[in-house]
Amino acid sequence: MAESLAETLERVIDLCQQRFETVQVIRHDVYDDYAVLWLEIEYKVYLLRIREVVRRDGSRKYAYYAFQDSQVVGGFDNAADPRALQKKYGNAYTQHRLEPIPHYHTRDKAEVELTDEIHCIDFVQWVADNL
C-alpha cells in the first residue's frame, strides 16, 4: 500500500528528530491533494530550514537550506531558478521559466549547480558530511 501524505511528512519529522536535538515544526498541514511541512532545526552554529510540499500525484517541491548568521551556507531545492534553468537549457531557458529544476546553491548563493532530485535524508547526510 502506498504511503499517505501524512505518513510521508511524519517520516521526515521522525528522521529529523532522530538526527537533531532541536526541531521546531513551523507548519504541518495535510489536505486532500497535497501536504506541506516546514521545519527549523538548530544544529551547532547553523539554522537548517526544511520545506516539503508533497502532492498526491507523487510530485514534490522541496527546499533544504543551511544558514549561519542569516547567510546561506548551502541549499538544495527544486524551484524554477533562472540560473539553474540557464545552465540546463542555455539561451532557451526562458521557455522553461516555470519548470522546477533540482539544484544546489553554494555559500551566499554565489554559484548554482545542477543536481539530481534529493530527499530529506540526502540533505541530512550532506549536513553530517559538510557541517
Side-chain angles (χ1 to χ4, degrees):
M1 179 195 264
E3 186 175 62
S4 72
L5 295 174
E7 290 169 332
T8 299
L9 296 189
E10 287 301 323
R11 192 169 34 85
V12 171
I13 293 169
D14 290 346
L15 168 69
C16 290
Q17 289 175 334
Q18 289 172 14
R19 298 289 180 98
F20 305 108
E21 287 184 26
T22 306
V23 178
Q24 183 179 7
V25 178
I26 305 299
R27 183 174 177 193
H28 182 213
D29 296 317
V30 178
Y31 303 99
D32 288 340
D33 293 330
Y34 68 98
V36 179
L37 179 65
W38 294 1
L39 302 176
E40 287 194 355
I41 299 164
E42 293 177 21
Y43 177 71
K44 297 181 182 179
V45 298
Y46 305 100
L47 172 65
L48 309 179
R49 288 193 176 134
I50 294 175
R51 296 187 177 179
E52 292 267 3
V53 177
V54 183
R55 296 176 194 89
R56 184 148 320 280
D57 68 4
S59 64
R60 49 192 284 277
K61 184 175 181 181
Y62 61 85
Y64 309 127
Y65 279 83
F67 296 87
Q68 184 177 21
D69 299 325
S70 73
Q71 299 280 335
V72 171
V73 175
F76 298 85
D77 63 54
N78 66 342
D81 183 281
R83 292 187 303 161
L85 289 167
Q86 190 168 22
K87 277 193 170 207
K88 183 173 182 177
Y89 295 111
N91 291 335
Y93 80 98
T94 57
Q95 297 170 22
H96 302 272
R97 69 178 180 270
L98 301 178
E99 180 181 315
I101 183 167
H103 59 279
Y104 168 72
H105 290 280
T106 62
R107 182 172 289 279
D108 297 329
K109 290 190 167 185
E111 298 291 326
V112 66
E113 300 169 9
L114 299 180
T115 65
D116 291 330
E117 186 172 301
I118 70 166
H119 291 271
C120 189
I121 191 143
D122 303 310
F123 177 66
V124 169
Q125 187 60 53
W126 178 87
V127 168
D129 293 344
N130 294 282
L131 304 180

